[in-house]
């Protein structure tokens, strides 16, 4: 079993920055990919970014490319999502996820076995 706990969300003005953290505990060696997803009110959960835990390859949704950076610290079992130049449309609950999946469909929520509880990010004008 793996437990994921996100933190770092909050209220920020448009153009500002936030860094989300996702601390993992449990059978962390069992996964290959960590992802970040978000869900805005009334919308479906959408892919934001993913990272291969051991190789470090990263993937981004087009909507965040160039503004967000995903990273991880293996020694701390912690993943990060640095969010810069935030926009109003980035407002959502952000979730980290992890799982043993190592294929190319990393952007689909069903590929992940473990999920955090979510952290709210609100961008104001």
């Amino acid at each position: 079993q793996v437990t994921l706990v996100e933190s770092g969300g909050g209220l920020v003005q448009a153009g500002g920055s936030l860094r989300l953290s996702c601390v993992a505990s449990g059978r962390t060696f069992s996964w290959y990919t960590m992802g970040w997803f978000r869900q805005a009110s009334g919308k479906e959960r959408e892919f934001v970014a993913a990272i291969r835990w051991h190789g470090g390859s990263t993937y981004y949704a087009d909507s965040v490319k160039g503004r967000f950076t995903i990273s991880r610290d293996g020694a701390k079992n912690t993943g990060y999502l640095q969010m810069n130049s935030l926009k109003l449309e980035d407002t959502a609950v952000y979730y980290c996820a992890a799982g043993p999946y190592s294929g190319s469909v990393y952007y689909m929520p069903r590929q992940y076995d473990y999920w955090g509880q979510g952290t709210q990010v609100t961008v104001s004008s």
Side-chain angles (χ1 to χ4, degrees):
Q1 187 64 27
V2 175
T3 301
L4 304 174
V5 179
E6 303 101 331
S7 62
L11 175 64
V12 63
Q13 286 191 324
S17 299
L18 282 174
R19 188 176 81 156
L20 306 183
S21 299
C22 176
V23 180
S25 59
R27 295 171 57 88
T28 57
F29 60 85
S30 66
W31 74 45
Y32 293 109
T33 305
M34 174 176 275
W36 286 92
F37 292 79
R38 66 187 181 187
Q39 188 166 16
S41 180
K43 295 188 177 181
E44 292 187 355
R45 191 167 298 190
E46 66 173 358
F47 170 76
V48 175
I51 186 167
R52 303 298 189 190
W53 195 255
H54 301 293
S57 296
T58 58
Y59 311 91
Y60 296 94
D62 287 343
S63 59
V64 306
K65 201 170 293 183
R67 300 188 298 122
F68 290 12
T69 302
I70 188 172
S71 62
R72 87 278 189 241
D73 184 332
K76 296 182 179 180
N77 282 338
T78 301
Y80 303 98
L81 185 68
Q82 177 68 43
M83 306 186 294
N84 298 329
S85 302
L86 283 161
K87 303 177 180 180
L88 296 179
E89 53 264 41
D90 294 320
T91 295
V93 177
Y94 283 71
Y95 299 89
C96 70
Y101 181 70
S102 60
S104 60
V105 198
Y106 47 80
Y107 49 86
M108 297 189 70
R110 63 181 172 86
Q111 303 296 353
Y112 295 82
D113 294 342
Y114 310 107
W115 291 83
Q117 83 287 353
T119 185
Q120 176 71 47
V121 172
T122 302
V123 184
S124 65
S125 59

